[in-house]
Amino acid sequence: EGGGGEREGGEGGGEGAAFALLHAIYLEMQLREAAWDASRAGLAVSLSATSTGFELSGHGYAQTLPAYMLTVLRQARSLQPDALRFATVKALVERQLADEDKAAAYQVAYQAWSHLLLRVAPTPAEQLAAVRSIRLPQLVRFAADALSSWASSDFLFFGNLDAAGAVDAYEEQLGALSEDGAAPAGLPAVPSQQQAVADLGGRALLRAVAHPNPQETNSAVRLTLVLGELSAREAATAQLLAKMVEPAFFASLRTRQQLGYLVWSFGREVRGVSLLYFIVQSSSASPRHVTASIHAFLEEEAEALLNSTAAADFAAYAAAARKELLDPPEQLEAAAEEAWGQIAAERFCFARRREVAVALDGVSLADVQALLASLVAADSAASRLLVQVHSPEHPVGRVADELPESSRREYSPLEDEGLARFRAGRGFFAGEPCAVAPPLPHGHDSADEVYGWMALGAIASLLGGISLLSLRLLAGACRSSLSSLPFLQLQPSSTMSELEPALDASAASPKARRSSAEELQLGHSGVGHHAKPAATFA
């Protein structure tokens, strides 16, 4: 599977995302004939734009995918100027961004949420303004600059490829980024800012917005509890809390109260920060009413649920959570996606799911009850972000009027005039990466499978015995300097106790581990440097 992406921008407007979106669709049109031929050969490639750049991914046979990836990379770097194609793509992108005003209410709530809680999250309006200012020569130059040896790149190889084959394929891909040789002009000398989650400092904030579509009939409420960067045991406790309240939340707000057709609650880690979400979209109830119901559930029903949970039921919740964490992906593409998620997020915490699963054994019902009590307390240290999207039937009015009277927490409203000041003054969680040497990926115990993780300014995961290859590339402009990282090959039969001395040798002290982790940040991944294998464990 193969992929590439450019990460650009900081907290400003949507210029980087706009370039990436135009580039993705322009390249798709340019490659249409080649993509058709590739699909007939069993290769599938997709290019997608994100708020921070683009990602190119594909799936196919190990014998042919690397060569097709070279074709795609060269085409991605060298856009063929075509005025008609550019005009078509630009009109399409402008229409797509303008149509964001017609998005579902819960999607508009997500847009507002990401703009407040994520460092890099340009709004559709910001991206639309940027797209309108971009000209064809700028897009062509962007492609050459973004996909060059002067940008940082991360590759993931996952499939039927040994270490030597991965190194050869990596060098070929890197060579495709270096063919022109010259440094791109005009790129900043400092790294661009990385994605991060805002640390709200224990505050409870409310952002109420009107849905931009005057014909919209739905409103939405999105409440996020920001738990912070948790240890494995703390994360296991949060995971159990999320699993236990999820069905009860749906039953209360969807089934009994009939507040809306779309009702969700779940827990996630975003950039290493644990979050709990409660989301409702309603065509009948006002956002104020839905907000009050969410808080009533958290402060009354959830507490009653936990207090009435029998020991056997709690054990069943824990077993289900453990199984979900430890069940291996059933397809190669899913396994690659799991590993790639850690790379794209710049976390490299490949053992996180296993660590949380192991920690579940030490979590009691009393721990979950204590966590809930700490989250709903009036003096809770956990931050909250409450986003309301109002349909025309339930206009916003004064934001202060939308605050839930029944909540134990006091919310501070975020008005339009203070939004820019709030974003400029945010702090962010550090999101430190995990250790350089990842343990064996979970869920694979067959003695005839050999895994390796390779960091060469790239990370490769090598899985024997499967005829398909996954390759992904994430490349970013505006990156600075480079580091070389070790290659580790692990036998599935090796136990963690056997590996620990070797891992300790590669990171002998906390200071050394911090240094290695800092080198793993995406802005410092060693593109342009070829690291020799530093250690092999068999």
Side-chain angles (χ1 to χ4, degrees), residues 53 82 116 153-154 221 259 298 357 425 431 457 480:
D82 185 313
L116 294 170
S153 304
D154 285 274
V221 176
L259 292 184
L298 283 172
S480 70

Side-chain angles (χ1 to χ4, degrees), residues 16-29:
F19 269 108
L21 187 54
L22 285 171
H23 179 277
I25 298 178
Y26 193 98
L27 180 63
E28 181 182 353
M29 290 187 176

Side-chain angles (χ1 to χ4, degrees), residues 194-210:
Q194 303 301 311
Q195 187 63 282
V197 176
D199 183 352
L200 303 180
R203 292 175 292 173
L205 303 175
L206 166 64
R207 175 67 174 155
V209 298

Side-chain angles (χ1 to χ4, degrees), residues 73-386:
L73 279 179
R74 288 175 175 135
Q75 292 278 337
R77 286 196 68 204
S78 304
L79 295 185
Q80 301 164 5
D82 185 313
L84 178 59
R85 179 185 297 152
F86 179 74
T88 302
V89 169
K90 190 172 181 179
L92 176 63
V93 171
E94 288 179 356
R95 186 164 61 252
Q96 287 179 349
L97 291 171
D99 284 347
E100 290 294 323
D101 286 351
K102 301 175 184 176
Y106 77 90
Q107 294 172 320
V108 175
Y110 173 79
Q111 294 169 6
W113 172 90
S114 60
H115 195 62
L116 294 170
L117 204 59
L118 301 181
R119 172 182 277 155
V120 185
T123 65
E126 289 172 339
Q127 295 180 61
L128 180 58
V131 165
R132 287 170 172 163
S133 68
I134 294 173
R135 301 293 179 264
L136 178 56
Q138 294 173 296
L139 183 62
V140 172
R141 183 55 187 269
F142 165 82
D145 287 356
L147 289 165
S148 72
S149 61
W150 294 86
S152 72
S153 304
D154 285 274
F155 294 79
L156 169 65
F157 298 85
F158 203 115
N160 187 25
L161 200 65
D162 60 15
V167 172
D168 290 343
Y170 163 74
E171 290 181 331
E172 288 179 345
Q173 310 301 326
L174 187 60
L177 304 181
S178 309
E179 290 173 348
D180 293 340
L187 289 182
V190 297
S192 63
Q193 292 174 314
Q194 303 301 311
Q195 187 63 282
V197 176
D199 183 352
L200 303 180
R203 292 175 292 173
L205 303 175
L206 166 64
R207 175 67 174 155
V209 298
H211 197 292
N213 182 9
Q215 278 75 49
E216 180 60 47
T217 59
N218 290 291
S219 297
V221 176
R222 182 187 183 101
L223 174 63
T224 304
L225 307 184
V226 184
L227 279 61
E229 296 171 303
L230 304 182
S231 67
R233 189 175 186 279
E234 292 168 336
T237 306
Q239 177 116 352
L240 272 177
L241 175 60
K243 289 295 180 187
M244 294 178 72
V245 303
E246 179 181 356
F249 182 74
F250 182 89
S252 177
L253 277 75
R254 171 70 178 92
T255 305
R256 290 196 298 272
Q257 300 183 50
Q258 294 285 304
L259 292 184
Y261 184 74
L262 300 178
V263 176
W264 299 297
S265 70
F266 53 93
R268 289 287 186 274
E269 281 194 0
V270 178
R271 304 275 166 169
V273 179
S274 291
L275 307 171
L276 294 180
Y277 300 96
F278 300 88
I279 304 168
V280 177
Q281 177 173 291
S282 178
S283 61
S284 56
S286 70
R288 180 187 177 95
H289 180 80
V290 171
T291 298
S293 295
I294 292 174
H295 285 82
F297 173 84
L298 283 172
E299 296 169 4
E300 299 170 14
E301 295 181 52
E303 181 179 358
L305 167 70
L306 296 185
N307 290 340
S308 64
T309 299
D313 293 333
F314 179 76
Y317 279 117
R322 188 181 302 106
K323 183 178 185 299
E324 181 177 322
L325 287 166
L326 293 179
D327 274 354
E330 295 181 356
Q331 297 180 336
L332 174 68
E333 189 171 3
E337 184 68 32
E338 184 177 316
W340 180 249
Q342 289 293 333
I343 298 169
E346 307 153 37
R347 290 281 296 159
F348 308 95
C349 299
F350 300 102
R352 179 64 169 177
R353 291 171 64 89
R354 179 187 288 270
E355 291 168 352
V356 174
V358 171
L360 281 167
D361 291 335
V363 178
S364 67
L365 176 58
D367 294 327
V368 179
Q369 292 169 327
L371 174 59
L372 176 63
S374 70
L375 293 176
V376 301
D379 59 350
S380 175
S383 303
R384 292 188 184 188
L385 178 58
L386 176 61

